Amino acid sequence: MPVIDAAFYPLIITERPADLFRQPPAGTDMGAARLAPITDVRPGDWVLGEFERPLDSGRLATLMQSVACFPALPATLNGYVALDGQSPVWHNDETALIIPREYIPGDTYADRSGGYRVGDRLERTFIYNPVHDDERDTVGTARPVIQRGTVTDVEDGAFSVAWSGRWVNGHAEEQAMRLANPEDVARERATFGFAVGDTVTVEGSHATGVVLELYLHHWAGAPCARVYWPGSPWDNYCSYDFAPTSRYVHKIPDNAYDVTSRANYPAAT
């Protein structure tokens, strides 16, 4: 066969809708993009696209770019991976197009390779195993969920995190943790009025609750929240609300209730 010179055509993107597409942080080395088995994606790696087949070095595959590229917070469950920490829709055998977290600029929410600092806002994903049926869950049906918290101490090779609220019904060991994305928090507040981890109250009440989860009602489409209400210092009873977010208002937590759970971790991330 005759040799044919390859022709390269530049692609210049002049506009991308901000509400549909996101970009990695400014300064990211875009040349570091690479293919990887989806099970090898780590917290903080930027996911640019995916292909519904295993990685195969012997063939040229076309990957579909995600609607919005995002930093991964992977959790595995029953043969699937929740790359965003909450949605188990990617199969273990798929291939991902990623930018490894080492090529994301330092001091961004996607990169704390040097260790977490006091005041950092974190989020973790874990597999939630409900022990009670409720509006969102069925006993025996596990699912990945996220929880946000704040680093309160870094000392002697470990750091402490105060997690906002408690998933009292029981959960498996967490699978991944990273800095929370301020854009995600802002987007949640724009959509639901609140973000996961926000403290809330209701009109005429002195109680303080914590938003554990945000969702749209299954048929009405109304923004709703799972809110954790901690127990009093006397009876330690706690409860959960599943209600439209219009019922709640923001509140700065007072000292009457413990709305956090603390945990210690090795300093290495």
Side-chain angles (χ1 to χ4, degrees):
M1 293 182 60
V3 176
I4 301 176
D5 292 335
F8 296 91
Y9 299 90
L11 173 64
I12 301 174
I13 300 175
T14 59
E15 184 177 3
R16 301 180 88 182
D19 58 338
L20 293 179
F21 293 95
R22 291 168 53 189
Q23 300 280 8
T28 296
D29 182 359
M30 301 298 292
R34 64 192 63 182
L35 298 175
I38 207 164
T39 51
D40 288 351
V41 178
R42 304 164 301 167
D45 290 346
W46 269 88
V47 179
L48 301 178
E50 55 84 26
F51 181 59
E52 295 179 352
R53 291 183 184 179
L55 182 63
D56 183 356
S57 59
R59 69 187 298 253
L60 180 64
T62 300
L63 281 83
M64 179 182 297
Q65 183 173 357
S66 304
V67 172
C69 64
F70 58 91
L73 188 67
T76 57
L77 177 67
N78 300 329
Y80 288 84
V81 180
L83 286 176
D84 62 355
Q86 303 177 84
S87 309
V89 297
W90 293 273
H91 197 274
N92 279 1
D93 291 334
E94 294 184 11
T95 299
L97 175 64
I98 64 169
I99 298 176
R101 61 192 181 195
E102 291 83 2
Y103 298 92
I104 305 296
D107 294 325
T108 69
Y109 69 89
D111 180 8
R112 271 292 192 270
S113 54
Y116 293 121
R117 307 166 186 169
V118 173
D120 279 348
R121 187 68 171 164
L122 305 186
E123 58 188 18
R124 62 177 174 179
T125 180
F126 53 84
I127 305 301
Y128 174 59
N129 293 302
V131 296
H132 299 292
D133 293 335
D134 55 43
E135 183 173 322
R136 291 284 289 162
D137 295 293
T138 302
V139 173
T141 304
R143 64 187 179 93
V145 297
I146 67 166
Q147 184 180 30
R148 294 194 176 113
T150 304
V151 176
T152 58
D153 184 61
V154 179
E155 185 177 2
D156 296 331
F159 62 95
S160 300
V161 181
W163 297 107
S164 300
R166 293 191 182 97
W167 288 80
V168 175
N169 290 358
H171 60 78
E173 183 178 352
E174 67 198 38
Q175 300 210 353
M177 182 164 49
R178 69 171 183 202
L179 284 172
N181 179 2
E183 293 182 3
D184 287 343
V185 173
R187 187 175 297 107
E188 289 174 5
R189 289 178 178 151
T191 302
F192 296 94
F194 303 94
V196 171
D198 282 356
T199 51
V200 297
T201 189
V202 295
E203 293 293 346
S205 173
H206 297 287
T208 299
V210 178
V211 175
L212 287 187
E213 184 178 27
L214 295 162
Y215 59 96
L216 298 175
H217 191 274
H218 62 281
W219 61 265
C224 294
R226 177 200 293 257
V227 176
Y228 164 77
W229 299 97
S232 72
W234 298 278
D235 61 16
N236 201 32
Y237 175 78
C238 66
S239 62
Y240 294 87
D241 271 350
F242 300 86
T245 54
S246 58
R247 174 183 175 186
Y248 307 112
V249 294
H250 284 278
K251 181 179 181 181
I252 299 175
D254 51 36
N255 294 324
Y257 299 101
D258 176 14
V259 296
T260 60
S261 54
R262 297 177 184 275
N264 295 321
Y265 300 88
T269 59

